[in-house]
Amino acid sequence: MTTLIIGAHGHVGQHIVEQLAATGETVYGGIRKPEQAEAITKLGGQVRDVNLMGTVEDLLPAMKDVDTVIFSAGSGGSTGDDMTINIDLDGAIKSMIATEKAGIKRFIIVSAMGTDDRSFWDKSGIRPYYVAKYYADQWLRHRTALDYTIVRPGILTNDAPTGKITTDSAASENKKISRADVAATVVAIVQHPQPKQIIEMVNGNDPIADVIK
C-alpha cells in the first residue's frame, strides 16, 4: 500500500509518517516548503510537493500511484482565521476533490472531537477552527463517494504514547489524547480499513489495534 500524508510536517503528521513507514508501507509526505523535506526523509517518508493554496489540478501530481490519502494539515494556532478557512476547510475540500479525480478511493481526515456540537464551538474559544472542521467533514460525508474515515481526537497533548484509547469519550473523564496515539490510530485504520466511519477517541484502556479491528 502507498499512502500520501497531506500535512506531513505537522505535529501529528510527522508521527504518522514515522509510524506508517515503520510498518513497511510506502509513505509520501506532502509538504509545502523545501526546508521541511529533510525531516520527512529522516522519518522514513518520501517527499511530495503539496500546496493547499493552489488549485485542485496542482494537487494531482502528488497523488500519482497512491492508494490512500490522509489529510492531517492545519493552519496552526499562530495564523489568522483566514488561513484556517484556506487550509482546514478549502484545502481539505480541494484534497478530497483531487483524490476522486486521481481515482483514489480511500481518504482519512484528522478532524476534532466536538465538531458536530455547535454549542461547543463558542465555548472552545476557536470557533472558526470548528466551523472549518465541521463543513470539511460534511463535504466528505455528503459530497463525495470516497471510502472515508473521520478521526476525531480529543485535546491533543505531547505526552508519551500509551497505545490505548477509548471511543466512548462521552463517558470518559479524560478528554485528552497524545498526538502519537492519534497517529497510531490513523496507522491502524490504514491497515484495517474503516470505510464511512467517524471515530471519536481519547486516551483510555483499550489497545488501539483491538479498537480499530
Side-chain angles (χ1 to χ4, degrees):
M1 297 292 290
T2 302
T3 303
L4 170 67
I5 302 166
I6 298 175
H9 196 259
H11 295 299
V12 173
Q14 290 191 51
H15 283 294
I16 298 173
V17 171
E18 183 175 32
Q19 293 183 31
L20 192 55
T23 70
E25 299 269 359
T26 299
V27 179
Y28 294 119
I31 60 169
R32 64 186 181 89
K33 296 179 180 179
E35 57 266 31
Q36 297 172 338
E38 184 179 359
I40 300 304
T41 56
K42 284 183 176 179
L43 294 170
Q46 302 175 44
V47 173
R48 288 196 172 177
D49 293 328
V50 173
N51 178 13
L52 293 176
M53 294 296 288
T55 66
V56 168
E57 286 69 28
D58 291 336
L59 297 175
L60 291 175
M63 296 183 177
K64 183 179 179 181
D65 300 324
V66 167
D67 300 302
T68 302
V69 174
I70 299 170
F71 188 90
S72 184
S75 61
S78 61
T79 61
D81 295 343
D82 58 334
M83 289 305 295
T84 299
I85 298 302
N86 281 324
I87 302 301
D88 298 70
L89 177 55
D90 190 49
I93 290 174
K94 284 187 292 193
S95 298
M96 297 169 200
I97 296 171
T99 298
E100 289 196 296
K101 281 183 174 288
I104 302 166
K105 300 298 184 184
R106 296 187 64 200
F107 192 95
I108 301 167
I109 190 169
V110 179
S111 183
M113 191 170 74
T115 296
D116 279 341
D117 182 4
R118 278 191 168 88
S119 67
F120 173 72
W121 296 357
D122 287 327
K123 300 173 188 176
S124 72
I126 48 173
R127 191 177 196 278
Y129 171 82
Y130 282 96
V131 172
K133 290 296 187 186
Y134 174 79
Y135 284 104
D137 289 358
Q138 288 295 306
W139 186 285
L140 181 57
R141 295 172 64 190
H142 303 298
R143 298 290 295 273
T144 79
L146 293 165
D147 290 332
Y148 66 81
T149 305
I150 298 172
V151 179
R152 291 180 174 169
I155 299 168
L156 299 174
T157 74
N158 289 319
D159 294 342
T162 67
K164 295 182 178 181
I165 60 172
T166 178
T167 55
D168 190 6
S169 55
S172 175
E173 293 184 4
N174 176 52
K175 302 301 178 185
K176 299 179 180 181
I177 184 168
S178 75
R179 289 177 169 87
D181 284 325
V182 175
T185 302
V186 172
V187 170
I189 292 167
V190 172
Q191 296 177 317
H192 305 281
Q194 305 291 319
K196 292 183 169 51
Q197 293 282 333
I198 298 175
I199 300 175
E200 188 171 278
M201 75 283 188
V202 293
N203 276 131
N205 298 314
D206 303 316
I208 291 170
D210 292 348
V211 172
I212 299 304
K213 288 177 183 178

